[in-house]
Amino acid sequence: MSDEFSPTPDVSRRRFLRSAAGLSGLILTGCDTGDLTPPVRRGGLVGIADVLTMTTQRLLMAHQPLVQEHDPRDITQDFPTWGQTNPDDEEYQRLLAGDFEEWRLEIGGLVNRPTTLSLDQLKGMKRRTQITAHICEQGWSAIAEWTGTPLTDVLAAAGGVTPDARYVVLRAFDGWYEGFDMFDVVHPQTILAYGLNGRDLPRGNGAPVRLRVERHCGYKNLKFVKSIEAVASIDDIGRGTGGINSDWGFHWYAGA
Ligand SMILES: Nc1nc2c(c(=O)[nH]1)N[C@H]1C(S)=C(S)[C@@H](COP(=O)(O)O)O[C@H]1N2
Ligand SMILES: [Mo]
């Protein structure tokens, strides 16, 4: 029997195409410059700055997708801890006391197969190690080696995002949340990091897992990650600007 008359290859091919649709949507957005403007337009000078920063960087970086990776000898001794270093959250404290064995990353929203991942499962997936500069908007920077799972692989573990997903929102145990468009989500250096300078991520730096999103400055690199949600719009997230820091008035896209 030729393939043409056999229902089986056709069905599996169709299923393949359907699951590939989510992924290729991701890959397509990742291949061009992505969105050129932030999801929410603010008025006045700050609004103009929002748009100029993001548009300029996206266009400048269109053909240079990776941020600079440094040499091991550039690593800053004693990477600082900044902001929250020990979330005052009952669930977090319980998980911390149990060495995060019970920690489960929730992956939901507009994904094909909502799921959870344990720390061991995450560590068993594809890993990426990168030595990059962290630039905090509050006036310091430091270089560190981060090891983690690419965010695309984490979404793939949930069957990939559905075609209507436009943003991915991460939430943390201290109540922080940050949203990203697909350009940053599929960026090869966007990882959920569980390792810092070859060791387990210390609590102060966001244990068990923190985001590294290298095109953004410090505050978008969410620590203490609890869940990941793919969404069509950021309107219902916090005050609707796409992240806790932009809700407070910082740029949604500040670049680094
Ligand atoms: N959940 C959460 N993530 C966070 C913060 C925070 O207070 N809570 N601080 C941010 C800021 S302003 C910076 S500069 C970095 C600091 O990361 P570090 O503590 O590893 O230096 O984490 C960012 N991510
Ligand atoms: Mo920061």
Side-chain angles (χ1 to χ4, degrees), residues 138-176:
Q138 282 159 303
W140 60 274
S141 62
I143 293 175
E145 182 197 83
W146 305 100
T147 300
T149 315
L151 187 53
T152 15
D153 290 81
V154 173
L155 289 165
V161 299
T162 64
D164 43 342
R166 287 202 57 203
Y167 302 97
V168 168
V169 177
L170 280 78
R171 291 188 177 79
F173 283 100
D174 61 350
W176 275 41

Side-chain angles (χ1 to χ4, degrees), residues 181-208:
D181 66 11
M182 290 305 173
F183 182 87
D184 287 322
V185 169
V186 301
H187 192 280
Q189 289 164 319
T190 300
I191 61 173
L192 285 184
Y194 45 76
L196 169 58
N197 295 336
R199 317 173 74 152
D200 281 349
L201 185 68
R203 191 202 64 214
N205 302 105

